[in-house]
């Protein structure tokens, strides 16, 4: 794997900033050990996110769909406690964090351990609450179906169960509940309850196909259909849910994490709206839509929004993604400065909306509870901009919102995390007929130079655009308009790069109701 050296990204001072160079990323065997990390941490400032979820230490990747137990969301995620050791013990367990508002989380430690059976480590899957004791482990037992590969090649699905409300799990023997039928890609089971038909439904990632399976007891599964789509790489982490739009229309949504970069599309979360009859999914159209157009929103999951009384809101689906990319997953300054590698996106509230053409799409906004964590607000009002206007604000973690209006121009937007001399920044805004997030002018993990600026469609005839941008120490997430188009990308600005500027190209723009908010979590 090639990329930017982790050591070149320390950047805790001006001296560090001047030393950043492109180089070969360290191999797994070269990962720094604990003593080295402690020494390094004493000499550099922290890159840990201010208000995004981060793993306490070591490594995290795929989120696992959170479940609601006793008034709390139980958020499991893939965690490797041996990541920094560089030894022979590798692979992931499931670690647990709980939250009541999906902004502030409490770490609960490892819930599903690895290497406690001959099957080794535990990959992605899903947890469900077995309310009716269909599996025989007791009413209300929490059941995990997850992929394991005992020989590191043959992927199959295994069951773990919990009788202490999802805090600790026990393996259900050592045999798979869904053996591999002789294929290479056979992973990431996502299970939902089909109450209407009294059975469980599993979606499974099988290369360019999502397989559908039925079970009455979570322990034996029958294949019933497949949804095949090529051209966007190997499909991973399937997702299936029902959601209701404001006009009363209900749609089923099938989502996958997919790499569409080869065809000029994102490598984030692709989805199709359609119908599901309990056995097969029928898409409204052949081409997928994308829940994120940036470079770093992978392994994403959606999950139920529960009201205060525990009931489910059918009109909203929460979503969270891993803020990283397998092309450069091991390259981050947080390893040296903070001893961890693993940051998530902000949790989103996702809704179903009907477009002007009559088709339906998902739209997202940051979780509403973020409002409860505001520690400082800077209201800048309306600002007229021709060319570049540097604002009197400094920060490394904040949210900025504005509505940009104009009569005639080519492009407009913001320079985020701007260096004192103006040479480094992250650009976000619109240009011609697209919205964009451009990380090229700052330090970022893509050494190829190919995955620097992300695009999504934009209608310039509107002459207005609303932007809501979340900036944290190693990420930028831009929500455009109603949130149909979102761009999430990992960036590593030097910690001395704290400036903010507005720009307009070939014309004058007014940035209306410009507000900056900082958060304490």
């Amino acid at each position: 794997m090639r990329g930017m050296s982790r050591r070149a990204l320390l950047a805790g001072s001006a001296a560090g900033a001047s030393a950043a160079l492109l180089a070969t990323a360290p191999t797994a065997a070269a990962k720094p050990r604990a003593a080295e990390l402690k020494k390094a941490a004493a000499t550099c400032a922290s890159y840990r996110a201010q208000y995004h979820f981060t793993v306490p230490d070591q490594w995290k990747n795929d989120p696992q769909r959170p479940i609601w137990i006793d008034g709390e969301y139980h958020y499991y995620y893939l965690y490797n406690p041996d990541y920094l050791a560089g030894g022979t013990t590798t692979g992931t367990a499931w670690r647990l964090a709980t939250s009541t508002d999906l902004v502030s989380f409490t770490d609960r430690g490892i819930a599903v351990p690895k290497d406690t059976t001959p099957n080794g480590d535990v990959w992605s899957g899903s947890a469900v609450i077995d309310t009716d004791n269909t599996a025989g482990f007791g009413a209300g037992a929490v059941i995990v179906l997850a992929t394991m590969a005992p020989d590191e090649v043959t992927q199959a699905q295994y069951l773990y169960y919990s009788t202490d409300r999802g805090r600790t799990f026990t393996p259900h023997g050592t045999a798979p509940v869904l053996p591999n039928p002789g294929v290479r890609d056979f992973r990431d089971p996502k299970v939902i309850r089909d109450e209407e038909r009294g059975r469980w439904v599993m979606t499974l990632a099988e290369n360019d196909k999502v397989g559908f399976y039925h079970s009455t007891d979570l322990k034996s599964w029958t294949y019933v259909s497949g949804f095949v789509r090529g051209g966007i790489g190997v499909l991973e982490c399937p997702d299936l849910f029902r959601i209701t739009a404001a006009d009363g229309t209900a749609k089923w949504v099938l989502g996958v994490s997919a790499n569409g970069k080869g065809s000029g599309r994102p490598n984030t979360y692709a989805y199709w709206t359609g119908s599901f009859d309990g056995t097969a999914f029928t898409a409204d159209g052949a081409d997928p839509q994308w829940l994120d157009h940036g470079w770093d929103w992978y392994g994403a999951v959606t999950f139920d929004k529960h009201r205060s009384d525990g009931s489910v809101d059918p009109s909203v689906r929460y979503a969270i993604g891993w803020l990283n990319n397998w092309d450069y997953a091991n390259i981050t300054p947080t390893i040296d400065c903070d001893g961890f590698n693993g940051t998530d996106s902000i949790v989103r509230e996702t809704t179903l909306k009907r477009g002007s053409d009559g088709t339906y799409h998902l739209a997202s906004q940051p979780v509403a509870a973020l409002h409860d964590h505001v520690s400082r607000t800077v209201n800048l009002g309306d600002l007229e901009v021709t060319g570049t206007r540097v604002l009197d604000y400094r920060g490394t973690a904040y949210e900025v919102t504005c509505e940009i209006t104009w009569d005639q121009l080519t492009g407009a937007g913001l320079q985020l995390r701007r260096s004192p001399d103006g040479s480094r920044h992250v650009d976000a805004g619109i240009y011609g007929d697209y919205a964009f997030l451009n990380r090229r002018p700052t330090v970022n993990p893509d050494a190829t130079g190919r995955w620097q600026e992300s695009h999504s469609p934009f209608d310039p005839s509107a002459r207005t655009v609303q932007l809501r941008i979340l900036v944290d120490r190693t990420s930028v997430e831009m929500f455009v308009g109603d949130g149909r188009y979102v761009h999430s990308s990992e960036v590593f600005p030097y910690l001395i790069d704290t400036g903010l500027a507005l720009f307009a190209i070939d014309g004058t723009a007014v940035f209306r109701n410009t507000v900056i908010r900082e958060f304490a979590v």
Side-chain angles (χ1 to χ4, degrees):
M1 183 179 293
R2 302 283 296 184
M4 183 167 292
S5 166
R6 297 196 299 248
R7 288 289 174 191
L9 292 170
L10 290 177
S13 64
S18 65
L21 300 170
L22 291 178
T24 302
T27 62
K31 290 169 187 167
R33 297 182 181 275
E36 296 170 325
L37 288 166
K38 186 175 181 180
K39 181 178 180 181
T43 61
C44 68
S46 175
Y47 272 84
R48 189 178 289 275
Q50 174 69 30
Y51 60 96
H52 287 71
F53 179 85
T54 56
V55 65
D57 56 33
Q58 304 285 346
W59 163 274
K60 84 164 294 294
N61 54 302
D62 293 3
Q64 308 302 307
R65 182 185 61 202
I67 56 175
W68 176 264
I69 302 175
D70 299 333
E72 290 185 312
Y73 290 96
H74 284 52
Y75 170 44
Y76 303 95
Y77 58 91
L78 297 192
Y79 168 72
N80 183 2
D82 305 300
Y83 176 66
L84 296 174
T88 58
T89 304
T90 58
T92 50
W94 281 29
R95 191 161 180 156
L96 170 64
T98 58
S99 177
T100 57
D101 67 359
L102 298 173
V103 178
S104 176
F105 291 83
T106 300
D107 177 54
R108 303 296 184 182
I110 293 175
V112 184
K114 66 175 181 176
D115 301 325
T116 56
T117 77
N119 299 316
D121 65 324
V122 188
W123 299 5
S124 280
S126 57
V128 295
I129 301 174
D130 188 12
T131 303
D132 298 326
N133 192 26
T134 64
F137 299 108
V142 181
I143 308 297
V144 161
L145 276 297
T147 302
M148 302 176 78
D151 58 5
E152 299 184 2
V153 175
T154 307
Q155 300 167 11
Q157 317 320 315
Y158 295 79
L159 188 150
Y160 284 76
Y161 65 93
S162 169
T163 57
D164 61 359
R165 310 298 284 163
R167 294 300 178 92
T168 60
F169 287 80
T170 302
H172 171 56
T174 58
V177 295
L178 180 56
N180 189 295
V183 298
R184 177 178 177 179
D185 299 303
F186 195 70
R187 58 181 176 268
D188 307 339
K190 192 67 62 67
V191 177
I192 63 172
R193 181 66 179 170
D194 184 350
E195 294 289 358
E196 180 181 349
R197 300 168 184 87
R199 64 193 179 200
W200 299 94
V201 176
M202 175 196 292
T203 54
L204 197 67
E206 303 175 33
N207 197 278
D208 63 351
K209 180 180 79 172
V210 175
F212 290 83
Y213 297 79
H214 288 166
S215 176
T216 57
D217 63 3
L218 293 166
K219 293 190 261 188
S220 59
W221 294 88
T222 302
Y223 175 79
V224 293
S225 72
F227 178 84
V228 179
R229 286 296 185 275
I232 53 175
V234 175
L235 308 182
E236 296 189 294
C237 303
D239 192 18
L240 179 68
F241 60 92
R242 191 173 186 264
I243 189 169
T244 303
D247 64 6
T249 300
K251 289 282 186 181
W252 282 90
V253 176
L254 178 64
V256 293
S257 282
N259 187 348
K261 289 192 299 187
S263 56
R265 292 180 282 189
N267 64 325
T268 58
Y269 181 106
Y271 72 91
W272 296 263
T273 61
S275 59
F276 179 64
D277 63 5
T279 296
F281 177 83
T282 303
D284 291 333
D287 292 333
Q289 301 185 68
W290 298 82
L291 205 51
D292 198 287
H293 286 254
W295 302 118
D296 302 305
W297 203 70
Y298 201 74
V301 293
T302 70
F303 55 105
D304 290 332
K305 177 183 179 179
H306 289 266
R307 304 184 181 97
S308 58
D309 63 359
S311 62
V312 174
D313 185 344
S315 67
V316 180
R317 190 81 177 171
Y318 286 132
I320 187 171
W322 178 43
L323 271 173
N324 209 336
N325 185 311
W326 283 116
D327 287 351
Y328 39 73
N330 293 297
I331 305 166
T332 165
T334 62
I335 294 174
D336 297 285
C337 293
D338 303 282
F340 81 95
N341 181 349
T343 302
D344 284 338
S345 74
I346 205 72
V347 173
R348 305 176 183 178
E349 295 187 359
T350 301
T351 56
L352 181 68
K353 296 193 174 185
R354 186 177 186 269
S356 58
D357 61 356
T359 63
Y360 287 84
H361 62 268
L362 298 177
S364 303
Q365 291 294 334
V367 62
L370 196 59
H371 299 303
D372 300 330
H373 294 268
V374 175
S375 59
R376 180 190 179 207
T377 300
V378 180
N379 193 332
L380 300 176
D382 298 345
L383 303 171
E384 186 173 289
V385 178
T386 302
T388 301
R389 180 171 177 174
V390 180
L391 304 182
D392 185 19
Y393 175 79
R394 300 289 181 270
T396 60
Y398 55 88
E399 170 201 83
V400 57
T401 57
C402 62
E403 180 183 8
I404 309 174
T405 63
W406 63 89
D407 290 326
Q408 184 175 357
L409 51 66
T410 303
L414 300 89
Q415 292 182 348
L416 311 160
R417 297 296 304 272
R418 193 175 191 267
S419 64
D421 65 359
S423 64
R424 297 183 303 273
H425 41 82
V426 182
D427 295 341
I430 57 96
Y431 187 92
D433 61 356
Y434 59 84
F436 71 91
L437 180 63
N438 182 7
R439 64 185 181 181
R440 182 175 289 107
T442 195
V443 183
N444 68 78
D446 174 36
T448 70
R450 293 178 294 172
W451 321 119
Q452 301 283 14
E453 183 172 291
S454 55
H455 291 178
S456 62
F458 175 73
D459 180 7
S461 67
R463 295 194 176 96
T464 183
V465 63
Q466 290 182 326
L467 298 180
R468 183 176 183 182
I469 305 173
L470 304 185
V471 179
D472 214 329
R473 293 191 178 111
T474 60
S475 64
V476 174
E477 296 160 279
M478 178 177 73
F479 296 77
V480 183
D482 70 353
R484 177 176 186 176
Y485 300 111
V486 184
H487 298 242
S488 299
S489 286
E490 192 176 41
V491 293
F492 303 141
Y494 302 135
L495 297 178
I496 59 170
D497 293 352
T498 60
L500 176 64
L502 311 178
F503 67 85
I505 303 170
D506 300 331
T508 298
V510 178
F511 289 70
R512 301 189 184 280
N513 193 26
T514 305
V515 177
I516 299 168
R517 301 194 304 174
E518 298 172 355
F519 305 101
V521 177

